[in-house]
Amino acid sequence: MNRWLTAGMAASLVVLLVAAALWSSAPPPAMAQTAPDVRLRETAAPPAQSPGAQPSSTYLTLRLAGATLEVDRRGLPDGADLTLLAQPTYVALPSAGPNLVRTSPAVTVTARDAGGRDFGLSATARLTFNQPHAGDAGVFRLGGNAWHPVESVALGQALVVQPFSPGTYALFAGLPPDWLVRHDALTALALNAARLVVDDLAPNS
Amino acid sequence: MWRIPYRFAGAAVGLSSSAGVLAAYFLTLAPGVVWSGAGIDSGDLTAAVAVGGVPHPTGYPTLMLLGLAVRAIPLGDLALRLNVLTALAAAGSLIPLGLLAVRLRPRSGTPISLPEAATAAAVLTLYGLAPLVWSNAIVTEVYALASLLLWSAIHAAVRARTSTFGGSAATRWAFASGMLLGLGTGAHITVALGAPALMAILLQGRWDSPMGRQPAAVAAAGLVAGCSVYAYLPVAASLGPPINWGDPSNLERFWSVVSGEIYRSRLGGSDAGATAGKASWLLGEPARQLTWVLLPLLAIGGASLTRRHAWAALATGWIAVSALVVSTLYNSRDDEVFILPALAVSALWSVVGVGEVGRWASTSSGSARRLFTATLPALLIATAVIRGTEVAPEVSMRDATHAAAFAFAALAQADPGTVILTQDDRATFPLWYQGHAPDSRSDATIVDMRLWQFPWYRESLGRRSGLPTSASPEQLLVAGTWPSSRPLWAVDIEVSGDRSADVLATVRTLNEP
């Protein structure tokens, strides 16, 4: 092939690649997952269903076996209630410092008024986590395939209250400042709440 | 000046770059199954290996068979072992690329100078450290193995072409090339697109004589032999494993799995403007992934190859263009990954470009020679080091333990006989793997509601778990006919970013047992 033609082709290739890299913008990612959402010819016919019927859905409060949520209702509007959403829930902690786990299983509390609408809690809201049964360590860490009780975290101390979405707050164990996030061992904490004491839950006005 | 004998040069370039990237891969290796972008399927693939099953289409029999061998090694968590296998395959894919590049470079057959070898190794290292390559090398996936087998096949074909015409070595290399391509097709079906490239290498300029066509015929026989790994799918399916996508135990279902029937709707579909936009984005990937430094070398190498070995330029060009087309037309969460062969071609051409620059330098003045022997290797090695440092935090999966922690916690807390409904890969796949791990909760049943639409899935679930399959669990719950002894949970997944830590998994109970 002619030497000049080859050189011209090489230069064109560089120009094309540079132009594509500089002026193209990333396409929106396709959301299709490995298990397909689309229904194909093998679709099964749904059975008859009574009109208006919906599956009931309750949050996983039963996982807090024996737990007691004590709410100071003086701070709550009439008819308002708190819903516990227990583990396994994983919430990113964007503001976590270098010595705090960035993601942790958490117990979340959703505050809803009498009309079923979420409402925000005051910035000073605190929920206290008590562990009456000393034998049942409430904080665990995952090492390999097993959860190991963590002895060094004082139970019963105040939890960090982290807004997650409007009306929903994630609770994280207040870890000691010298707690090191070790890449090989510490991966997550499991909070096994036995008793929650909630106070100062005045709604935002 | 130090020179490496030609017979060791390709191995030296390939192995040195391979060792470099392997260290990076091991430092960032995922500890198990993950939630992050490149590795969401790791849970499915690993769980399928754990139970000797069939993962999502197209079944990936080559990975499954290798995985079964890895499963037999009694050392550590299976998911970690398979991640190591992937890293080894990814790093190993640089070896055939190195061998190929040295064989295709100008002055092939002559010793290679140390600066040229170092520069070539740095180029391949840059390819190995490209974010797309790296992120698919540190968690169980099929693309690293597919790349290893594709480039081994192409290297074997080039060896067949450059061996004594009609000799037994040429025949052996031709058969090996076909066999490796067949095995690669079992790693990922898109490797089959390498077949025209193989034929271009073996046939270009030799089509006229029967003797010239013989290597292609031998390679075709090798291809059939390599593709026989697909026999794994019906054999595994016939044993009724708990993970058995498509249940390919008869011919119709086998074809459905192998041809990826459930994914066909993802081909094309978007409008012409969006397709063109995506194609132009993918065209820019070599510069973004491999760094701008390589572009001049890429062009010089491409031109050099076109002038000297048109058959090699044609074959590798076909691989790059077909990868670009597939990546453009296929729409899925990880469709960008199909551009990987084009990145490998870019790296290969860049190494050839290094050889071309070296040839110019050797015939030029002292200053040009010094520029090549000192500046170019230093520039590329420094680029590779900086690139590695930059990309490592971005792709690292070392801390990606959340998926395994979620699955462990969910199953550890499930009441006896719990049925867990999922509708997201991030929930289904880790639960599958955790559910089939040794000492796991065999009484809990995972039901993926997107797979519920398929008869093979409902049949398998009903057979294994005793669940009623006349209607979905949610429909039975509404109708009041869901068995009260089976707690019913649902997992919701919210994703706020690409990292493993950006996934929020929430478990709800749907009934009160």
Side-chain angles (χ1 to χ4, degrees):
Chain A
M1 189 180 288
N2 182 290
R3 189 173 288 262
W4 287 108
L5 181 62
T6 311
M9 283 170 57
S12 307
L13 180 63
V14 170
V15 170
L16 182 68
L17 294 178
V18 169
L22 282 179
W23 286 294
S24 59
S25 53
M31 300 309 290
Q33 299 193 55
T34 300
D37 292 323
V38 291
R39 288 180 177 272
L40 302 181
R41 60 181 166 79
E42 295 183 296
T43 302
Q49 176 173 312
S50 54
Q54 292 291 326
S56 64
S57 176
T58 54
Y59 285 118
L60 200 56
T61 51
L62 77 161
R63 298 312 308 161
L64 297 170
T68 306
L69 178 67
E70 291 186 8
V71 182
D72 183 354
R73 292 187 180 276
R74 288 171 302 179
L76 292 174
D78 287 340
D81 206 351
L82 298 174
T83 305
L84 273 182
L85 175 59
Q87 60 177 306
T89 298
Y90 293 77
V91 183
L93 266 178
S95 61
N99 288 331
L100 287 178
V101 284
R102 297 177 66 189
T103 300
S104 168
V107 178
T108 60
V109 170
T110 302
R112 291 208 171 92
D113 64 19
R117 292 179 293 272
D118 293 347
F119 65 86
L121 301 175
S122 75
T124 57
R126 289 288 181 274
L127 292 90
T128 306
F129 176 74
N130 288 323
Q131 184 76 20
H133 309 297
D136 294 333
V139 181
F140 295 79
R141 75 177 171 85
L142 187 67
N145 279 329
W147 291 96
H148 304 287
V150 174
E151 307 291 345
S152 59
V153 176
L155 302 177
Q157 67 187 96
L159 300 179
V160 178
V161 180
Q162 184 80 22
F164 177 65
S165 62
T168 301
Y169 295 77
L171 315 181
F172 298 88
L175 300 175
D178 59 349
W179 182 281
L180 294 176
V181 179
R182 298 198 183 281
H183 289 178
D184 57 347
L186 179 66
T187 58
L189 296 172
L191 301 180
N192 185 9
R195 186 163 180 256
L196 285 168
V197 180
V198 185
D199 57 34
D200 193 14
L201 289 175
N204 274 331
S205 54
Chain B
M1 185 184 295
W2 282 89
R3 289 187 173 274
I4 303 171
Y6 175 69
R7 61 183 305 189
F8 301 123
V13 169
L15 281 170
S16 55
S17 54
S18 180
V21 299
L22 192 60
Y25 294 164
F26 279 157
L27 286 172
T28 53
L29 196 70
V33 300
V34 303
W35 268 336
S36 32
I40 294 175
D41 288 346
S42 62
D44 177 44
L45 297 167
T46 309
V49 169
V51 300
V54 177
H56 64 278
T58 55
Y60 315 108
T62 305
L63 178 68
M64 288 300 110
L65 290 168
L66 276 173
L68 292 180
V70 169
R71 193 180 71 174
I73 303 169
L75 198 68
D77 181 40
L78 174 62
L80 178 61
R81 270 180 273 160
L82 290 175
N83 293 347
V84 170
L85 174 73
T86 305
L88 289 173
S93 69
L94 300 188
I95 297 172
L97 279 170
L99 291 166
L100 198 53
V102 167
R103 192 160 287 272
L104 294 176
R105 85 190 224 281
R107 299 180 297 167
S108 179
T110 61
I112 185 170
S113 71
L114 205 54
E116 185 181 337
T119 312
V123 168
L124 288 183
T125 303
L126 271 172
Y127 162 71
L129 298 180
L132 198 57
V133 179
W134 195 340
S135 58
N136 280 282
I138 53 180
V139 68
T140 304
E141 251 302 352
V142 293
Y143 304 105
L145 184 61
S147 179
L148 170 66
L149 291 166
L150 171 66
W151 292 107
S152 297
I154 298 295
H155 172 248
V158 171
R159 289 298 304 262
R161 186 185 175 99
T162 53
S163 297
T164 308
F165 191 57
S168 61
T171 305
R172 281 199 303 273
W173 280 113
F175 186 82
S177 70
M179 179 104 170
L180 288 163
L181 197 77
L183 291 170
T185 304
H188 197 279
I189 198 76
T190 54
V191 172
L193 289 169
L198 219 62
M199 291 303 139
I201 294 168
L202 295 172
L203 285 177
Q204 206 264 341
R206 297 178 174 180
W207 174 252
D208 296 341
S209 71
M211 182 74 99
R213 289 195 293 269
Q214 189 193 8
V218 172
L223 182 64
V224 172
C227 284
S228 65
V229 287
Y230 274 98
Y232 166 82
L233 299 182
V235 171
S238 66
L239 300 173
I243 294 169
N244 189 13
W245 286 70
D247 186 18
S249 52
N250 64 41
L251 195 58
E252 187 190 357
R253 287 183 170 182
F254 174 78
W255 178 246
S256 171
V257 170
V258 171
S259 64
E261 183 189 17
I262 63 172
Y263 301 138
R264 280 184 208 156
S265 61
R266 297 178 184 176
L267 267 174
S270 48
D271 62 88
T275 303
K278 188 176 176 189
S280 67
W281 167 259
L282 291 168
L283 206 54
E285 280 295 76
R288 283 187 292 267
Q289 295 281 335
L290 302 177
T291 75
W292 298 83
V293 179
L294 290 198
L295 286 190
L297 291 171
L298 189 165
I300 293 168
S304 167
L305 213 53
T306 306
R307 206 176 61 249
R308 294 177 301 104
H309 300 304
W311 49 270
L314 185 68
T316 52
W318 163 259
I319 289 172
V321 171
S322 62
L324 179 69
V325 170
V326 170
S327 196
T328 302
L329 295 182
Y330 192 74
N331 299 296
S332 73
R333 187 186 56 214
D334 58 351
D335 51 23
E336 192 190 9
V337 79
F338 296 117
I339 200 75
L340 281 174
L343 296 183
V345 170
S346 303
L348 181 67
W349 285 14
S350 300
V351 178
V352 175
V354 170
E356 191 67 45
V357 173
R359 188 179 63 81
W360 289 340
S362 68
T363 57
S364 302
S365 64
S367 59
R369 198 174 300 138
R370 275 195 299 278
L371 191 70
F372 177 75
T373 55
T375 310
L376 192 58
L379 173 70
L380 283 166
I381 290 169
T383 305
V385 171
I386 293 168
R387 183 69 165 160
T389 313
E390 276 177 356
V391 175
E394 183 189 323
V395 299
S396 178
M397 294 190 191
R398 196 187 157 104
D399 298 330
T401 52
H402 312 93
F406 151 73
F408 184 90
L411 288 174
Q413 296 175 76
D415 293 315
T418 296
V419 176
I420 304 177
L421 306 184
T422 61
Q423 46 192 341
D424 191 294
D425 294 343
R426 294 173 186 83
T428 306
F429 297 161
L431 286 170
W432 274 354
Y433 177 56
Q434 186 64 39
H436 296 297
D439 305 324
S440 68
R441 292 284 305 275
S442 57
D443 60 300
T445 304
I446 318 302
V447 179
D448 188 300
M449 292 313 297
R450 297 158 307 158
L451 296 182
W452 183 266
Q453 60 186 296
F454 300 112
W456 54 263
Y457 186 66
R458 296 194 300 272
E459 287 164 16
S460 172
L461 266 180
R463 194 171 55 244
R464 302 193 64 83
S465 65
L467 287 176
T469 55
S470 55
S472 76
E474 285 174 317
Q475 288 166 333
L476 291 174
L477 192 63
V478 170
T481 54
W482 177 255
S484 59
S485 60
R486 306 294 301 261
L488 195 57
W489 290 10
V491 181
D492 299 323
I493 295 286
E494 289 177 48
V495 183
S496 57
D498 292 332
R499 300 166 312 157
S500 178
D502 294 331
V503 177
L504 171 68
T506 308
V507 176
R508 289 177 289 126
T509 58
L510 299 180
N511 66 344
E512 297 287 347

